[in-house]
Amino acid sequence: MRDLTRRRLLLAAGGVAGGAAVVGAVVTRNRGPHPVVRHKIVPDGRARRLVLSWPSSNRLLFGVARARFFGTYNLDVTLVDGPRTGRTTIADVVEGRAAGAAAPILTWLDRFRLGPIPAHLVSGLQSGSFRLLVRRGVKGSRLDNVAGMRIAVTDQDMADRLFFSVMMRRKGIDPESAVHWVTLAPTQVEQAARAGEIDAVAAHDPQAWQWLHLPDPIFFELENSTTGHYRERTNLALGLSDALLRSDPVAAASLVMALRAASDWIRAHPDQAAELVAEAMEGMDAGQILAMLRHESLGISPVGADLRVQVSQYVDEMKLLGRVSDTVGSAAYARRLCVSVLEADESGALSIPGNGPA
């Protein structure tokens, strides 16, 4: 943690604390008189079953983790049945249908602002792939020119709209009054664009990539999150229920390790990743998936202090939209929302703060 001073890395004396196998201990000092000792957690070999909820629109990372890495960490991971958006995955955790959920950080923050929920963020999963696609023939080649446009989204609550709303606000454009947001089913977007009923669409890969590369192109890309400083920031984040974090820290750590291993593997082997998930990726073959991956930033999966820094940046952006109060300290709020699951205290427990904005 940034407000703690890392003193030294000690070799562990061995043994198991609270069910967590320990390989080392990090001694840190807070404002109190006594040092806080945190032990690195490693998998203990026990088989575990977990239910997660994951957005239907992009399950590439999950598919790779299930095929190659969950078994390595003795995890049997299944998903909640049915199509899911970021908001419904979070609802699955809140309502007890899943032990964890993947959702965009912007969506997590938009849910947290409604009140504390029994979950905390534990890891970034992948960078964003938001794209603002404008219909060919529409005037305007810069974000400054979007005022008056009819912009389609597939769900008013999707993070696509929130992300580009932040970008508009930075340009001095009011995203609520200066543009017209139109909600369309994915199957209606192309037809509406060809009929001139919409001027643009805000979406994310793989759907945005498919629209951008239609055989008869109709869109050009105006803005995205795959370039500039956004490309190094996580978008999708894993949140785990407080019940799991308290009852089984090793399960939480093992899950994060498996997903981070999958993220790193995709970055190192994008061609194999494309082949691995091609059958499950509707409308795209392995070659198209590989081309998409080569235009994305891979291997972005921050934890601990790195995750808190990025969440703090997103809190600042939600303030621009009036969705988080300016009186809230962004860094302090991020510390309350995030839990580091790779280290536990001497009893094997994780440090789990309250997650309200105060």
Side-chain angles (χ1 to χ4, degrees):
M1 296 174 62
R2 288 184 175 272
D3 59 342
L4 302 178
T5 304
R6 189 174 293 274
R7 296 290 301 278
R8 61 188 180 273
L9 182 66
L10 303 177
L11 293 178
V16 175
V22 179
V23 295
V26 177
V27 179
T28 58
R29 186 177 298 277
N30 58 16
R31 295 177 181 176
H34 303 294
V36 176
V37 180
R38 299 201 180 280
H39 300 279
K40 291 185 177 181
I41 300 175
V42 296
D44 57 11
R46 182 160 63 90
R48 291 170 168 86
R49 291 184 176 181
L50 295 173
V51 178
L52 299 183
S53 191
W54 206 281
S56 308
S57 59
N58 188 355
R59 291 180 175 173
L60 184 146
L61 176 63
F62 180 83
V64 169
R66 180 171 55 188
R68 296 186 63 94
F69 295 100
F70 287 149
T72 302
Y73 289 87
N74 296 295
L75 298 174
D76 177 7
V77 184
T78 57
L79 293 180
V80 176
D81 289 337
R84 287 291 183 272
T85 66
R87 285 193 177 275
T88 54
T89 65
I90 295 172
D92 285 334
V93 174
V94 173
E95 296 168 16
R97 290 184 292 272
I105 292 179
L106 286 170
T107 306
W108 279 108
L109 291 177
D110 211 36
R111 176 58 183 82
F112 276 121
R113 76 188 179 98
L114 301 179
I117 61 177
H120 283 77
L121 305 182
V122 298
S123 176
L125 297 173
Q126 63 187 54
S127 65
S129 57
F130 299 113
R131 302 182 192 274
L132 182 60
L133 310 180
V134 175
R135 178 167 52 84
R136 292 177 183 271
V138 172
K139 293 182 179 180
S141 58
R142 299 189 306 171
L143 191 63
D144 310 66
N145 306 130
V146 300
M149 282 191 184
R150 299 161 297 173
I151 304 177
V153 288
T154 58
D155 187 322
Q156 287 285 348
D157 289 329
M158 295 286 275
D160 311 280
R161 175 173 174 170
L162 289 175
F163 177 80
F164 288 110
S165 291
V166 169
M167 295 191 75
M168 291 176 198
R169 181 62 75 179
R170 290 193 185 282
K171 294 288 187 179
I173 300 169
D174 186 338
E176 298 305 316
S177 62
V179 300
H180 307 287
W181 299 99
V182 181
T183 305
L184 295 175
T187 54
Q188 298 175 314
V189 169
E190 182 183 351
Q191 179 180 352
R194 295 194 185 280
E197 296 169 354
I198 60 171
D199 304 304
V201 57
H204 57 275
D205 291 347
Q207 181 66 79
W209 183 264
Q210 293 179 60
W211 282 328
L212 185 59
H213 294 85
L214 290 168
D216 180 13
I218 189 173
F219 295 111
F220 68 90
E221 187 171 52
L222 184 69
E223 285 286 352
N224 61 53
S225 65
T226 63
T227 56
H229 68 280
Y230 284 111
R231 74 177 276 112
E232 298 303 322
R233 285 172 58 178
T234 190
N235 162 45
L236 213 61
L238 177 69
L240 295 180
S241 70
D242 291 348
L244 177 66
L245 293 173
R246 291 192 177 97
S247 66
D248 199 344
V250 179
S254 297
L255 179 60
V256 168
M257 291 177 192
L259 289 168
R260 296 188 83 202
S263 178
D264 289 341
W265 186 83
I266 292 171
R267 178 182 57 191
H269 308 282
D271 52 342
Q272 295 181 49
E275 291 283 354
L276 191 62
V277 301
E279 290 187 6
M281 192 79 75
E282 185 177 349
M284 299 179 73
D285 60 28
Q288 293 168 320
I289 297 171
L290 179 58
M292 179 184 72
L293 293 178
R294 285 175 172 166
H295 285 79
E296 297 179 354
S297 184
L298 306 177
I300 307 297
S301 54
V303 297
D306 291 335
L307 176 62
R308 291 193 296 274
V309 167
Q310 294 196 20
V311 170
S312 177
Q313 292 170 342
Y314 278 113
V315 173
D316 285 337
E317 292 171 349
M318 291 293 273
K319 290 180 181 181
L320 292 176
L321 301 180
R323 291 174 179 255
V324 173
S325 171
D326 288 337
T327 62
V328 172
S330 299
Y333 191 14
R335 285 194 296 271
R336 293 174 67 82
L337 298 183
C338 300
V339 168
S340 177
V341 298
L342 301 185
E343 296 176 348
D345 64 20
E346 290 178 300
S347 71
L350 301 173
S351 176
I352 305 174
N355 60 23

